[in-house]
Amino acid sequence: MDLRDSKSRLILIVIALGAALVIAVASCSGGGDGDGGGDGGAASSDTGGGSGGTDDKPDDKEPEGGGESGPEDNTPLAEVTGQGGVRLTITSAERDAGGFFTVSGTLTNDGSERFLEIGWRGDERELTNNGFSMAGSSVVDKVEGKRYLILRDTSGRCLCTQFGSGLNPGDSVEWFAQFPAPPDDATELEFNIGNMPPAPLEISAG
């Protein structure tokens, strides 16, 4: 009886150890799956974060690119070159309040000699005291064929730039000249001064 009891107890112990071993193995396997799932979740989170960061960068750059689009347009309205390399550039031609029309730009001496043209003061006796200036300039309405002469004050001085003693080679100066405003529907004009080629002007309707 004692031998049989011993064998029975031994069998029970072996069965118990086998069951414990199975449970332990099962527990280890379950923990491994949990760890693997955790790693997979972390990888997915990192990838998602990386993608989000990549997507955000172009969005951040787009406004900067938009802000830099379109450099300023500095193209002159008209430009002509006369004898001796004198270059007349018109950068603005606008109707002003009060019925005035103001033309402005730059005069550049690209030649090799000093430029001084008294004839630019025009033929009107009233303007002869203006010397070398834009006093002799005019604007022509090409459609109506009407010429608009320079405005002047009560002393006969033109509402324009006077150049004094002339322009040395390489000099560039700004100038303006003011005229009565052409009709609002006049959009094709022509600027004239001295023996310079006519400078065509296209402006918007008033």
Side-chain angles (χ1 to χ4, degrees):
M1 294 292 292
D2 294 337
L3 181 59
R4 291 179 178 177
D5 291 339
S6 298
K7 289 181 178 181
S8 298
R9 288 178 182 176
L10 181 60
I11 291 171
L12 290 174
I13 292 171
V14 170
I15 292 172
L17 290 174
L21 182 61
V22 170
I23 293 172
V25 171
S27 298
C28 291
S29 299
D33 291 340
D35 293 341
D39 292 342
S44 175
S45 175
D46 291 344
T47 303
S51 298
T54 303
D55 291 340
D56 290 340
K57 289 181 180 179
D59 292 340
D60 293 339
K61 291 181 179 180
E62 284 177 5
E64 294 178 5
E68 295 175 358
S69 63
E72 294 183 4
D73 186 6
N74 296 322
T75 304
L77 298 179
E79 186 172 84
V80 293
T81 301
Q83 295 180 353
V86 176
R87 176 163 44 96
L88 179 76
T89 303
I90 298 176
T91 57
S92 175
E94 299 179 350
R95 293 180 175 88
D96 303 328
F100 302 136
F101 181 65
T102 303
V103 183
S104 59
T106 57
L107 182 66
T108 305
N109 185 359
D110 292 326
S112 58
E113 298 181 0
R114 183 182 178 190
F115 180 67
L116 175 62
E117 182 54 71
I118 298 297
W120 279 30
R121 66 186 179 184
D123 298 328
E124 293 184 65
R125 182 177 302 176
E126 185 181 350
L127 296 173
T128 56
N129 61 341
N130 287 275
F132 177 31
S133 66
M134 300 296 291
S137 60
S138 63
V139 169
V140 176
D141 181 345
K142 295 177 67 176
V143 176
E144 297 294 332
K146 187 174 181 179
R147 182 181 298 271
Y148 296 87
L149 302 179
I150 197 80
L151 291 173
R152 73 281 318 262
D153 62 19
T154 54
S155 301
R157 292 193 173 275
C158 71
L159 300 185
C160 68
T161 299
Q162 300 188 34
F163 300 111
S165 58
L167 276 71
N168 291 321
D171 284 353
S172 182
V173 296
E174 295 183 351
W175 62 268
F176 83 96
Q178 200 167 56
F179 310 88
D184 290 345
D185 59 353
T187 59
E188 296 184 19
L189 307 174
E190 188 177 82
F191 182 85
N192 296 276
I193 178 72
N195 58 359
M196 296 288 287
L201 288 176
E202 292 188 10
I203 62 173
S204 58

